[in-house]
Amino acid sequence: MSILFLLVGLGLILSGANFLTDGAAALAKRFNISSLVIGLTIVAFGTSAPELTVSIVSAINGSAELSIGNVVGSNIFNILMIVGVTAVVAPITITKGTLTKEIPLAILSCVVVLICANDVFLETGAENILNRADGLLMLCFFAIFLGYTFAIAHDNTGEEQAEIRPLSTWRCLLYIVGGLVALIFGGRLFVDGSSEIARSLGVGESVIGLTLVAMGTSLPELATSVVAALKKNPEIAIGNVIGSNLFNVFFVLGMSATITPLPLGGITNVDLFYLLAVSLLLFFAGRYYKVRTITRVEGVFMIFAYVVYTGYLIYML
């Protein structure tokens, strides 16, 4: 039953995010909001809605390790597996702006989490916990990132925007309400199923969050990136991954910690430093081997690095 809850919950989350995004984008378009603004806000939110739903529901249910593990694990999965698989399908060319601005921002987000999560080491608390102050700080970073995104978007207004499927007003509202219901209900089923599987296997929620939950909630990004690569637009994967990672840390983790403080529990500095290391790997892979290109060889290495990390988590059980 736990596996069934997990699968049904994941299905509801993914379909709910899709319906919510389509409905909100179509409704915004009916009010003459530009495709650019819709893409930067509604669509970006939609692809990260699974992580947001699972993390907030986990935080409310008292499963802090699942909430944090979901974000950290998703970001590791995004870089190593999504970029890796996409690069194997087709080498990825990285723009100069992404290499010098967006990827360093992703590295900064890892450093912010490391600092906020090391209360014991920094002698600011008796246990490692992401408190409300940490959450609010992350939300402030998210506001800065959102402002930066709008600023650079206005410098690229000539770029082709994604087509938005027109819907009648009542269908927009139906999609939005139905999507929200599916997200909330699916999130509860997914978290309950994940927690029960962790207990039945005798493993911590942190491990389930870093692996099973992280993989499940990253499916929208994986699907988007692979399809883009097959359509000869692999560079979309980098923007997709970097945007998702920043959204996950600054907004998802920030919102979760603001709602309720999150003790790290089984999430250790090994996981946080590994996230920082793979973010640096992405930067150096794009910067040095073949300048501003993630090659197939580097893609294979990234996939191998994810297998090694997953093996480490299983070994440490």
Side-chain angles (χ1 to χ4, degrees):
M1 286 300 294
S2 298
I3 295 174
L4 180 62
F5 282 173
L6 186 77
L7 294 176
V8 172
L10 179 59
L12 286 172
I13 289 172
L14 297 180
S15 59
N18 187 52
F19 278 114
L20 176 62
T21 303
D22 287 349
L27 186 63
K29 196 66 176 176
R30 291 184 70 85
F31 285 96
N32 295 320
I33 297 175
S34 72
S35 299
L36 180 65
V37 173
I38 294 170
L40 289 172
T41 55
I42 297 171
V43 176
F45 169 83
T47 56
S48 291
E51 287 90 346
L52 180 63
T53 303
V54 170
S55 290
I56 288 180
V57 172
S58 299
I60 294 173
N61 286 359
S63 301
E65 294 179 38
L66 201 62
S67 180
I68 301 172
N70 175 36
V71 169
V72 175
S74 290
N75 283 13
I76 292 173
F77 183 88
N78 285 351
I79 293 174
L80 295 181
M81 284 301 290
I82 294 180
V83 174
V85 169
T86 305
V88 169
V89 174
I92 305 170
T93 301
I94 305 175
T95 65
K96 185 177 180 181
T98 297
L99 190 63
T100 59
K101 296 175 183 176
E102 278 92 49
I103 294 179
L105 276 174
I107 295 171
L108 173 64
S109 73
C110 301
V111 175
V112 170
V113 174
L114 262 173
I115 294 173
C116 291
N118 272 281
D119 299 304
V120 175
F121 179 76
L122 296 174
E123 299 180 352
T124 58
E127 65 172 331
N128 291 329
I129 186 171
L130 294 177
N131 56 35
R132 287 190 173 91
D134 297 326
L136 290 171
L137 175 65
M138 292 177 189
L139 290 177
C140 289
F141 273 109
F142 178 70
I144 295 171
F145 167 66
L146 201 60
Y148 164 76
T149 304
F150 275 100
I152 62 171
H154 286 299
D155 294 332
N156 298 279
T157 52
E159 294 184 2
E160 183 181 353
Q161 301 301 322
E163 184 179 347
I164 298 170
R165 183 159 60 104
L167 298 170
S168 62
T169 302
W170 73 269
R171 287 190 68 184
C172 290
L173 296 175
L174 182 63
Y175 274 36
I176 292 170
V177 173
L180 285 171
V181 170
L183 279 171
I184 294 168
F185 187 61
R188 294 195 67 87
L189 284 178
F190 191 80
V191 170
D192 289 345
S194 302
S195 300
E196 188 57 40
I197 289 173
R199 284 191 290 268
S200 64
L201 293 177
V203 301
E205 289 184 348
S206 59
V207 176
I208 297 295
L210 287 165
T211 54
L212 185 63
V213 175
M215 294 177 196
T217 55
S218 290
L219 285 178
E221 288 90 347
L222 178 60
T224 300
S225 297
V226 171
V227 169
L230 292 173
K231 291 182 177 180
K232 310 301 181 185
N233 292 309
E235 65 277 3
I236 291 176
I238 289 292
N240 187 26
V241 164
I242 298 302
S244 178
N245 281 18
L246 288 166
F247 193 97
N248 286 347
V249 170
F250 290 147
F251 188 72
V252 175
L253 203 54
M255 282 291 292
S256 300
T258 301
I259 290 171
T260 179
L262 305 173
L264 265 73
I267 308 297
T268 67
N269 274 334
V270 172
D271 306 304
L272 300 180
F273 272 110
Y274 198 76
L275 175 58
L276 176 60
V278 300
S279 299
L280 289 169
L281 171 66
L282 180 62
F283 174 80
F284 287 115
R287 178 69 177 83
Y288 290 108
Y289 179 49
K290 283 199 174 182
V291 180
R292 292 201 282 118
T293 301
I294 307 293
T295 65
R296 285 188 171 91
V297 173
E298 291 167 332
V300 171
F301 179 78
M302 288 178 174
I303 295 171
F304 175 73
Y306 187 77
V307 172
V308 170
Y309 175 67
T310 305
Y312 162 77
L313 292 176
I314 295 172
Y315 176 76
M316 293 302 293
L317 292 178

Short mmCIF file of all heavy atoms in Angstrom, two decimals, residues 259-310:
data_model
loop_
_atom_site.label_atom_id
_atom_site.label_comp_id
_atom_site.label_asym_id
_atom_site.label_seq_id
_atom_site.Cartn_x
_atom_site.Cartn_y
_atom_site.Cartn_z
N ILE A 259 7.92 28.23 7.42
CA ILE A 259 6.69 27.66 7.97
C ILE A 259 6.97 26.97 9.29
O ILE A 259 6.26 27.15 10.28
CB ILE A 259 6.07 26.67 6.96
CG1 ILE A 259 5.52 27.44 5.75
CG2 ILE A 259 4.94 25.85 7.62
CD1 ILE A 259 5.09 26.56 4.61
N THR A 260 8.03 26.16 9.33
CA THR A 260 8.42 25.47 10.57
C THR A 260 9.91 25.17 10.54
O THR A 260 10.43 24.77 9.49
CB THR A 260 7.62 24.15 10.74
OG1 THR A 260 8.03 23.51 11.94
CG2 THR A 260 7.81 23.22 9.58
N PRO A 261 10.63 25.39 11.65
CA PRO A 261 12.07 25.08 11.67
C PRO A 261 12.35 23.63 11.30
O PRO A 261 11.59 22.73 11.65
CB PRO A 261 12.46 25.36 13.13
CG PRO A 261 11.45 26.38 13.59
CD PRO A 261 10.17 25.99 12.91
N LEU A 262 13.44 23.40 10.59
CA LEU A 262 13.75 22.07 10.06
C LEU A 262 15.07 21.55 10.62
O LEU A 262 16.15 21.96 10.18
CB LEU A 262 13.86 22.12 8.52
CG LEU A 262 12.66 22.67 7.75
CD1 LEU A 262 13.01 22.80 6.27
CD2 LEU A 262 11.45 21.77 7.94
N PRO A 263 15.03 20.64 11.61
CA PRO A 263 16.26 19.99 12.07
C PRO A 263 16.84 19.13 10.95
O PRO A 263 16.11 18.45 10.24
CB PRO A 263 15.79 19.12 13.24
CG PRO A 263 14.45 19.67 13.62
CD PRO A 263 13.85 20.20 12.37
N LEU A 264 18.18 19.14 10.78
CA LEU A 264 18.78 18.41 9.68
C LEU A 264 18.76 16.90 9.88
O LEU A 264 18.66 16.15 8.92
CB LEU A 264 20.22 18.88 9.45
CG LEU A 264 20.33 19.96 8.37
CD1 LEU A 264 19.81 21.30 8.88
CD2 LEU A 264 21.75 20.10 7.87
N GLY A 265 18.87 16.45 11.13
CA GLY A 265 18.80 15.01 11.40
C GLY A 265 19.86 14.25 10.62
O GLY A 265 21.06 14.47 10.78
N GLY A 266 19.41 13.36 9.71
CA GLY A 266 20.32 12.51 8.96
C GLY A 266 20.97 13.18 7.76
O GLY A 266 21.80 12.57 7.08
N ILE A 267 20.60 14.42 7.46
CA ILE A 267 21.25 15.16 6.38
C ILE A 267 22.56 15.72 6.92
O ILE A 267 22.57 16.55 7.83
CB ILE A 267 20.37 16.32 5.86
CG1 ILE A 267 18.97 15.82 5.50
CG2 ILE A 267 21.04 16.99 4.67
CD1 ILE A 267 18.93 14.82 4.38
N THR A 268 23.68 15.24 6.39
CA THR A 268 24.99 15.60 6.94
C THR A 268 25.75 16.54 6.02
O THR A 268 25.32 16.82 4.90
CB THR A 268 25.84 14.33 7.17
OG1 THR A 268 26.16 13.76 5.88
CG2 THR A 268 25.07 13.30 7.99
N ASN A 269 26.92 16.97 6.51
CA ASN A 269 27.78 17.83 5.69
C ASN A 269 28.32 17.10 4.46
O ASN A 269 28.69 17.74 3.48
CB ASN A 269 28.95 18.36 6.53
CG ASN A 269 28.58 19.62 7.29
OD1 ASN A 269 27.69 20.36 6.89
ND2 ASN A 269 29.26 19.86 8.40
N VAL A 270 28.35 15.77 4.52
CA VAL A 270 28.76 15.01 3.33
C VAL A 270 27.81 15.31 2.18
O VAL A 270 28.24 15.56 1.04
CB VAL A 270 28.78 13.49 3.63
CG1 VAL A 270 29.03 12.70 2.34
CG2 VAL A 270 29.85 13.17 4.66
N ASP A 271 26.50 15.30 2.46
CA ASP A 271 25.50 15.58 1.42
C ASP A 271 25.60 17.02 0.94
O ASP A 271 25.54 17.29 -0.26
CB ASP A 271 24.09 15.31 1.97
CG ASP A 271 23.96 13.91 2.54
OD1 ASP A 271 24.22 12.95 1.81
OD2 ASP A 271 23.59 13.79 3.73
N LEU A 272 25.76 17.96 1.89
CA LEU A 272 25.81 19.38 1.53
C LEU A 272 27.09 19.72 0.77
O LEU A 272 27.06 20.48 -0.21
CB LEU A 272 25.70 20.23 2.79
CG LEU A 272 24.41 20.05 3.62
CD1 LEU A 272 24.42 20.96 4.84
CD2 LEU A 272 23.17 20.32 2.77
N PHE A 273 28.22 19.14 1.20
CA PHE A 273 29.47 19.39 0.48
C PHE A 273 29.47 18.72 -0.89
O PHE A 273 30.07 19.23 -1.83
CB PHE A 273 30.67 18.91 1.31
CG PHE A 273 31.20 19.94 2.26
CD1 PHE A 273 31.05 19.79 3.63
CD2 PHE A 273 31.85 21.07 1.78
CE1 PHE A 273 31.53 20.75 4.51
CE2 PHE A 273 32.35 22.04 2.66
CZ PHE A 273 32.18 21.88 4.03
N TYR A 274 28.78 17.58 -0.99
CA TYR A 274 28.70 16.92 -2.30
C TYR A 274 27.89 17.77 -3.27
O TYR A 274 28.24 17.88 -4.45
CB TYR A 274 28.06 15.53 -2.16
CG TYR A 274 28.35 14.63 -3.35
CD1 TYR A 274 29.59 14.02 -3.49
CD2 TYR A 274 27.39 14.39 -4.32
CE1 TYR A 274 29.88 13.19 -4.58
CE2 TYR A 274 27.66 13.57 -5.41
CZ TYR A 274 28.90 12.98 -5.53
OH TYR A 274 29.18 12.18 -6.61
N LEU A 275 26.82 18.39 -2.77
CA LEU A 275 26.04 19.31 -3.61
C LEU A 275 26.91 20.46 -4.08
O LEU A 275 26.87 20.85 -5.26
CB LEU A 275 24.83 19.83 -2.83
CG LEU A 275 23.98 20.90 -3.53
CD1 LEU A 275 23.46 20.40 -4.87
CD2 LEU A 275 22.83 21.35 -2.64
N LEU A 276 27.72 21.02 -3.17
CA LEU A 276 28.63 22.11 -3.55
C LEU A 276 29.65 21.61 -4.57
O LEU A 276 29.95 22.31 -5.56
CB LEU A 276 29.34 22.64 -2.31
CG LEU A 276 30.41 23.72 -2.54
CD1 LEU A 276 29.81 24.96 -3.19
CD2 LEU A 276 31.09 24.10 -1.21
N ALA A 277 30.17 20.40 -4.36
CA ALA A 277 31.20 19.85 -5.26
C ALA A 277 30.65 19.64 -6.67
O ALA A 277 31.32 19.97 -7.66
CB ALA A 277 31.73 18.53 -4.69
N VAL A 278 29.42 19.12 -6.78
CA VAL A 278 28.88 18.86 -8.13
C VAL A 278 28.51 20.17 -8.82
O VAL A 278 28.56 20.26 -10.06
CB VAL A 278 27.66 17.90 -8.09
CG1 VAL A 278 28.07 16.56 -7.50
CG2 VAL A 278 26.48 18.48 -7.34
N SER A 279 28.16 21.20 -8.03
CA SER A 279 27.91 22.52 -8.62
C SER A 279 29.20 23.11 -9.19
O SER A 279 29.22 23.70 -10.27
CB SER A 279 27.31 23.46 -7.58
OG SER A 279 26.07 22.98 -7.10
N LEU A 280 30.31 22.93 -8.44
CA LEU A 280 31.62 23.36 -8.93
C LEU A 280 32.03 22.53 -10.15
O LEU A 280 32.63 23.07 -11.10
CB LEU A 280 32.66 23.22 -7.82
CG LEU A 280 32.54 24.23 -6.67
CD1 LEU A 280 33.44 23.82 -5.51
CD2 LEU A 280 32.89 25.64 -7.13
N LEU A 281 31.69 21.24 -10.13
CA LEU A 281 31.99 20.37 -11.27
C LEU A 281 31.32 20.89 -12.53
O LEU A 281 31.92 20.91 -13.61
CB LEU A 281 31.53 18.94 -10.97
CG LEU A 281 31.58 17.94 -12.14
CD1 LEU A 281 33.03 17.70 -12.57
CD2 LEU A 281 30.92 16.62 -11.74
N LEU A 282 30.05 21.31 -12.40
CA LEU A 282 29.33 21.84 -13.55
C LEU A 282 30.03 23.08 -14.10
O LEU A 282 30.16 23.25 -15.32
CB LEU A 282 27.90 22.19 -13.14
CG LEU A 282 26.99 22.77 -14.24
CD1 LEU A 282 26.81 21.75 -15.37
CD2 LEU A 282 25.63 23.16 -13.66
N PHE A 283 30.50 23.94 -13.20
CA PHE A 283 31.20 25.15 -13.62
C PHE A 283 32.50 24.82 -14.35
O PHE A 283 32.76 25.32 -15.45
CB PHE A 283 31.51 26.04 -12.41
CG PHE A 283 32.34 27.25 -12.73
CD1 PHE A 283 31.76 28.38 -13.30
CD2 PHE A 283 33.70 27.26 -12.49
CE1 PHE A 283 32.53 29.50 -13.61
CE2 PHE A 283 34.48 28.36 -12.80
CZ PHE A 283 33.89 29.48 -13.36
N PHE A 284 33.32 23.94 -13.76
CA PHE A 284 34.62 23.62 -14.36
C PHE A 284 34.47 22.81 -15.63
O PHE A 284 35.28 22.95 -16.57
CB PHE A 284 35.51 22.89 -13.35
CG PHE A 284 36.03 23.79 -12.26
CD1 PHE A 284 35.66 23.59 -10.94
CD2 PHE A 284 36.88 24.84 -12.56
CE1 PHE A 284 36.14 24.42 -9.93
CE2 PHE A 284 37.36 25.68 -11.57
CZ PHE A 284 36.99 25.48 -10.25
N ALA A 285 33.43 21.96 -15.70
CA ALA A 285 33.19 21.19 -16.93
C ALA A 285 32.87 22.12 -18.09
O ALA A 285 33.32 21.91 -19.22
CB ALA A 285 32.04 20.20 -16.71
N GLY A 286 32.11 23.17 -17.81
CA GLY A 286 31.78 24.14 -18.85
C GLY A 286 32.91 25.11 -19.15
O GLY A 286 33.01 25.63 -20.26
N ARG A 287 33.78 25.31 -18.17
CA ARG A 287 34.81 26.35 -18.30
C ARG A 287 36.10 25.88 -18.98
O ARG A 287 36.72 26.62 -19.73
CB ARG A 287 35.14 26.89 -16.91
CG ARG A 287 36.23 27.96 -16.85
CD ARG A 287 35.75 29.26 -17.48
NE ARG A 287 36.74 30.31 -17.38
CZ ARG A 287 37.76 30.47 -18.22
NH1 ARG A 287 37.93 29.62 -19.21
NH2 ARG A 287 38.61 31.46 -18.07
N TYR A 288 36.48 24.61 -18.74
CA TYR A 288 37.84 24.24 -19.12
C TYR A 288 37.98 23.19 -20.20
O TYR A 288 38.62 23.43 -21.21
CB TYR A 288 38.63 23.80 -17.87
CG TYR A 288 38.91 24.95 -16.94
CD1 TYR A 288 38.25 25.06 -15.73
CD2 TYR A 288 39.83 25.94 -17.30
CE1 TYR A 288 38.49 26.13 -14.88
CE2 TYR A 288 40.07 27.02 -16.45
CZ TYR A 288 39.40 27.10 -15.25
OH TYR A 288 39.65 28.16 -14.43
N TYR A 289 37.41 21.99 -20.04
CA TYR A 289 37.75 20.88 -20.93
C TYR A 289 37.52 21.24 -22.40
O TYR A 289 38.43 21.28 -23.20
CB TYR A 289 36.96 19.63 -20.54
CG TYR A 289 37.24 18.43 -21.40
CD1 TYR A 289 38.55 18.03 -21.68
CD2 TYR A 289 36.20 17.69 -21.95
CE1 TYR A 289 38.80 16.93 -22.47
CE2 TYR A 289 36.44 16.59 -22.74
CZ TYR A 289 37.74 16.21 -23.00
OH TYR A 289 37.99 15.13 -23.79
N LYS A 290 36.29 21.47 -22.79
CA LYS A 290 36.00 22.07 -24.09
C LYS A 290 35.17 23.30 -23.77
O LYS A 290 34.05 23.18 -23.31
CB LYS A 290 35.23 21.10 -24.99
CG LYS A 290 36.11 20.03 -25.60
CD LYS A 290 35.45 19.38 -26.80
CE LYS A 290 36.41 18.43 -27.48
NZ LYS A 290 35.82 17.80 -28.68
N VAL A 291 35.77 24.46 -23.98
CA VAL A 291 35.25 25.71 -23.44
C VAL A 291 33.75 25.89 -23.71
O VAL A 291 33.30 25.83 -24.85
CB VAL A 291 36.04 26.91 -24.00
CG1 VAL A 291 35.50 28.21 -23.44
CG2 VAL A 291 37.51 26.76 -23.65
N ARG A 292 33.00 26.11 -22.61
CA ARG A 292 31.55 26.35 -22.61
C ARG A 292 30.78 25.22 -23.30
O ARG A 292 29.77 25.47 -23.94
CB ARG A 292 31.24 27.71 -23.22
CG ARG A 292 31.74 28.85 -22.34
CD ARG A 292 31.06 30.15 -22.59
NE ARG A 292 31.55 30.83 -23.77
CZ ARG A 292 30.81 31.11 -24.83
NH1 ARG A 292 29.55 30.74 -24.88
NH2 ARG A 292 31.32 31.76 -25.85
N THR A 293 31.25 23.97 -23.14
CA THR A 293 30.53 22.82 -23.68
C THR A 293 30.62 21.65 -22.71
O THR A 293 31.71 21.32 -22.24
CB THR A 293 31.13 22.38 -25.04
OG1 THR A 293 31.06 23.47 -25.96
CG2 THR A 293 30.34 21.20 -25.61
N ILE A 294 29.45 21.07 -22.40
CA ILE A 294 29.42 19.82 -21.62
C ILE A 294 29.41 18.69 -22.64
O ILE A 294 28.44 18.52 -23.38
CB ILE A 294 28.17 19.73 -20.72
CG1 ILE A 294 28.03 20.99 -19.85
CG2 ILE A 294 28.22 18.48 -19.86
CD1 ILE A 294 29.09 21.16 -18.82
N THR A 295 30.49 17.93 -22.71
CA THR A 295 30.64 16.88 -23.72
C THR A 295 30.00 15.57 -23.26
O THR A 295 29.60 15.43 -22.11
CB THR A 295 32.13 16.63 -24.01
OG1 THR A 295 32.74 16.10 -22.82
CG2 THR A 295 32.83 17.93 -24.41
N ARG A 296 29.94 14.60 -24.17
CA ARG A 296 29.40 13.28 -23.83
C ARG A 296 30.25 12.59 -22.77
O ARG A 296 29.73 11.92 -21.88
CB ARG A 296 29.30 12.41 -25.08
CG ARG A 296 28.15 12.80 -26.01
CD ARG A 296 27.97 11.79 -27.13
NE ARG A 296 26.74 12.06 -27.87
CZ ARG A 296 26.69 12.84 -28.95
NH1 ARG A 296 27.80 13.43 -29.38
NH2 ARG A 296 25.54 13.04 -29.57
N VAL A 297 31.57 12.76 -22.85
CA VAL A 297 32.48 12.16 -21.86
C VAL A 297 32.17 12.73 -20.48
O VAL A 297 32.09 11.98 -19.48
CB VAL A 297 33.95 12.41 -22.23
CG1 VAL A 297 34.88 11.94 -21.11
CG2 VAL A 297 34.30 11.70 -23.54
N GLU A 298 32.00 14.05 -20.40
CA GLU A 298 31.67 14.67 -19.12
C GLU A 298 30.29 14.23 -18.64
O GLU A 298 30.07 14.05 -17.44
CB GLU A 298 31.73 16.19 -19.27
CG GLU A 298 33.16 16.70 -19.47
CD GLU A 298 33.21 18.15 -19.93
OE1 GLU A 298 32.25 18.60 -20.59
OE2 GLU A 298 34.21 18.83 -19.64
N GLY A 299 29.36 14.03 -19.58
CA GLY A 299 28.04 13.55 -19.22
C GLY A 299 28.09 12.17 -18.60
O GLY A 299 27.44 11.91 -17.57
N VAL A 300 28.89 11.28 -19.18
CA VAL A 300 29.05 9.93 -18.63
C VAL A 300 29.68 10.00 -17.24
O VAL A 300 29.27 9.27 -16.32
CB VAL A 300 29.93 9.07 -19.57
CG1 VAL A 300 30.30 7.74 -18.90
CG2 VAL A 300 29.19 8.80 -20.88
N PHE A 301 30.66 10.89 -17.06
CA PHE A 301 31.30 11.03 -15.75
C PHE A 301 30.30 11.52 -14.71
O PHE A 301 30.31 11.06 -13.56
CB PHE A 301 32.46 12.02 -15.84
CG PHE A 301 33.16 12.24 -14.52
CD1 PHE A 301 34.06 11.30 -14.04
CD2 PHE A 301 32.90 13.37 -13.76
CE1 PHE A 301 34.69 11.50 -12.81
CE2 PHE A 301 33.53 13.57 -12.54
CZ PHE A 301 34.43 12.63 -12.06
N MET A 302 29.41 12.44 -15.09
CA MET A 302 28.40 12.94 -14.16
C MET A 302 27.44 11.83 -13.73
O MET A 302 27.09 11.71 -12.54
CB MET A 302 27.62 14.10 -14.80
CG MET A 302 28.41 15.38 -14.92
SD MET A 302 27.46 16.70 -15.72
CE MET A 302 28.58 18.09 -15.55
N ILE A 303 27.02 11.01 -14.69
CA ILE A 303 26.13 9.89 -14.37
C ILE A 303 26.84 8.94 -13.41
O ILE A 303 26.25 8.46 -12.43
CB ILE A 303 25.70 9.15 -15.65
CG1 ILE A 303 24.84 10.08 -16.52
CG2 ILE A 303 24.93 7.87 -15.31
CD1 ILE A 303 24.53 9.52 -17.90
N PHE A 304 28.12 8.66 -13.67
CA PHE A 304 28.91 7.79 -12.80
C PHE A 304 29.01 8.38 -11.40
O PHE A 304 28.91 7.66 -10.39
CB PHE A 304 30.31 7.59 -13.38
CG PHE A 304 31.24 6.80 -12.51
CD1 PHE A 304 31.08 5.44 -12.35
CD2 PHE A 304 32.27 7.45 -11.83
CE1 PHE A 304 31.95 4.71 -11.52
CE2 PHE A 304 33.14 6.74 -11.00
CZ PHE A 304 32.98 5.37 -10.84
N ALA A 305 29.20 9.71 -11.31
CA ALA A 305 29.31 10.37 -10.01
C ALA A 305 28.01 10.23 -9.22
O ALA A 305 28.03 10.10 -7.98
CB ALA A 305 29.65 11.85 -10.20
N TYR A 306 26.86 10.23 -9.91
CA TYR A 306 25.58 10.05 -9.21
C TYR A 306 25.43 8.62 -8.72
O TYR A 306 24.95 8.38 -7.60
CB TYR A 306 24.40 10.41 -10.10
CG TYR A 306 23.09 10.40 -9.35
CD1 TYR A 306 22.75 11.45 -8.49
CD2 TYR A 306 22.21 9.32 -9.44
CE1 TYR A 306 21.57 11.43 -7.77
CE2 TYR A 306 21.04 9.29 -8.72
CZ TYR A 306 20.72 10.36 -7.88
OH TYR A 306 19.56 10.34 -7.15
N VAL A 307 25.87 7.66 -9.53
CA VAL A 307 25.82 6.25 -9.11
C VAL A 307 26.69 6.04 -7.88
O VAL A 307 26.31 5.33 -6.93
CB VAL A 307 26.27 5.34 -10.27
CG1 VAL A 307 26.41 3.89 -9.80
CG2 VAL A 307 25.29 5.41 -11.43
N VAL A 308 27.88 6.66 -7.86
CA VAL A 308 28.78 6.56 -6.70
C VAL A 308 28.12 7.14 -5.45
O VAL A 308 28.18 6.54 -4.38
CB VAL A 308 30.12 7.28 -7.00
CG1 VAL A 308 30.96 7.40 -5.72
CG2 VAL A 308 30.90 6.54 -8.07
N TYR A 309 27.49 8.30 -5.59
CA TYR A 309 26.83 8.94 -4.45
C TYR A 309 25.69 8.07 -3.92
O TYR A 309 25.56 7.88 -2.70
CB TYR A 309 26.30 10.31 -4.86
CG TYR A 309 25.48 11.00 -3.78
CD1 TYR A 309 26.08 11.43 -2.60
CD2 TYR A 309 24.12 11.23 -3.96
CE1 TYR A 309 25.33 12.06 -1.62
CE2 TYR A 309 23.38 11.87 -2.98
CZ TYR A 309 23.99 12.28 -1.81
OH TYR A 309 23.25 12.90 -0.83
N THR A 310 24.88 7.53 -4.82
CA THR A 310 23.78 6.66 -4.40
C THR A 310 24.32 5.40 -3.73
O THR A 310 23.78 4.94 -2.71
CB THR A 310 22.90 6.26 -5.61
OG1 THR A 310 22.45 7.44 -6.28
CG2 THR A 310 21.71 5.44 -5.18
#
